[in-house]
Amino acid sequence: AQRVTQPEKLLSVFKGAPVELKCNYSYSGSPELFWYVQYSRQRLQLLLRHISRESIKGFTADLNKGETSFHLKKPFAQEEDSAMYYCALRGSQGNLIFGKGTKLSVKP
Amino acid sequence: DVKVTQSSRYLVKRTGEKVFLECVQDMDHENMFWYRQDPGLGLRLIYFSYDVKMKEKGDIPEGYSVSREKKERFSLILESASTNQTSMYLCASSQTRGSGYTFGSGTRLTVV
């Protein structure tokens, strides 16, 4: 089965605290994983993809094949990071399979 | 910047109506997708298309159909709208099967 699991519906942290949004996947083969973000009243946009190994807005994510995880991390959360975050896996047909999303709330 | 434009931001339709949701992209992308987004359920794929006049069912195609007569336009059709189709509908496109997606701003459909 091809599946993405985001175990937390809501994650609330204080400004300046580290944040980790969890993502686990199920896929036979070499996975391709993404993180998308949706800020309030904005369209969904690509945050990062594992093959590019880049850091966007201070966020990083490392693919751990042993744990089948692709957790999103940021060492110091900012209020403007408050948004809905979706982890996605490229399925065998080429389409993206999304998790149910985690709402991140960063309190001042 | 690639633009994916969804014709309506908000729609209210009556049960049983035939509803058309339009999506246009302006960067000659091969692939187009329709998802619905519901709280607690994430994004679920309805239909997608990798070429003109080509369509593939996603995970929840029941009650929907699509049309792709031109490369830049991908229409989602609700044959007979029902209240359980009240949702946010997102269109996306990608240049190749290996690319990330560019999303439209969504159409919030309410069926009463």
Side-chain angles (χ1 to χ4, degrees):
Chain A
Q2 301 170 66
R3 188 170 53 243
V4 175
T5 303
Q6 293 180 251
E8 304 135 331
K9 281 187 179 179
L10 174 65
L11 185 62
S12 187
V13 301
F14 286 102
K15 177 182 172 182
V19 63
E20 180 179 71
L21 291 90
K22 290 184 167 51
C23 172
N24 290 90
Y25 66 90
S26 173
Y27 188 73
S28 57
S30 189
E32 187 181 353
L33 288 145
F34 303 79
W35 276 99
Y36 280 80
V37 60
Q38 189 171 33
Y39 301 102
S40 180
R41 296 190 182 86
Q42 293 188 28
R43 64 185 66 196
L44 206 61
Q45 56 187 288
L46 179 65
L47 183 61
L48 54 81
R49 53 195 300 183
H50 90 272
I51 59 173
S52 57
R53 301 186 65 81
E54 56 193 343
S55 172
I56 305 293
K57 299 184 180 182
F59 284 98
T60 59
D62 289 317
L63 177 60
N64 185 324
K65 290 186 179 180
E67 296 183 359
T68 60
S69 69
F70 188 56
H71 303 327
L72 184 69
K73 299 177 184 179
K74 186 170 183 177
F76 308 103
Q78 303 299 314
E79 289 181 69
E80 55 265 30
D81 296 328
S82 295
M84 196 75 184
Y85 291 81
Y86 292 95
C87 183
L89 165 73
R90 190 176 303 283
S92 55
Q93 288 186 288
N95 57 288
L96 292 186
I97 301 164
F98 287 85
K100 293 183 178 181
T102 298
K103 184 174 182 178
L104 175 64
S105 175
V106 182
K107 299 177 182 177
Chain B
D1 264 2
V2 175
K3 274 196 175 172
V4 178
T5 303
Q6 295 184 233
S7 54
S8 304
R9 187 76 175 110
Y10 299 95
L11 273 180
V12 180
K13 296 292 182 180
R14 295 195 178 277
T15 302
E17 276 193 78
K18 190 169 186 175
V19 181
F20 294 84
L21 302 183
E22 305 289 345
C23 175
V24 177
Q25 49 93 5
D26 66 357
M27 285 298 289
D28 204 35
H29 279 185
E30 298 290 332
N31 313 312
M32 298 187 75
F33 308 84
W34 275 106
Y35 287 84
R36 62 178 284 178
Q37 182 183 30
D38 299 289
L41 297 178
L43 277 74
R44 293 179 291 166
L45 182 64
I46 305 171
Y47 268 96
F48 59 103
S49 169
Y50 286 146
D51 201 352
V52 175
K53 297 191 186 293
M54 177 264 183
K55 60 185 178 184
E56 293 285 348
K57 291 181 180 179
D59 300 318
I60 52 164
E62 296 79 18
Y64 303 94
S65 62
V66 290
S67 171
R68 193 158 180 212
E69 295 296 318
K70 293 185 178 181
K71 192 175 186 179
E72 67 270 19
R73 184 181 296 271
F74 193 36
S75 303
L76 180 69
I77 304 156
L78 285 67
E79 299 291 343
S80 177
S82 64
T83 54
N84 63 12
Q85 292 178 310
T86 291
S87 186
M88 173 67 87
Y89 288 87
L90 299 180
C91 177
S93 72
S94 69
Q95 188 170 22
T96 67
R97 294 198 192 194
S99 308
Y101 289 6
T102 300
F103 280 89
S105 54
T107 296
R108 184 166 293 283
L109 173 67
T110 303
V111 182
V112 297

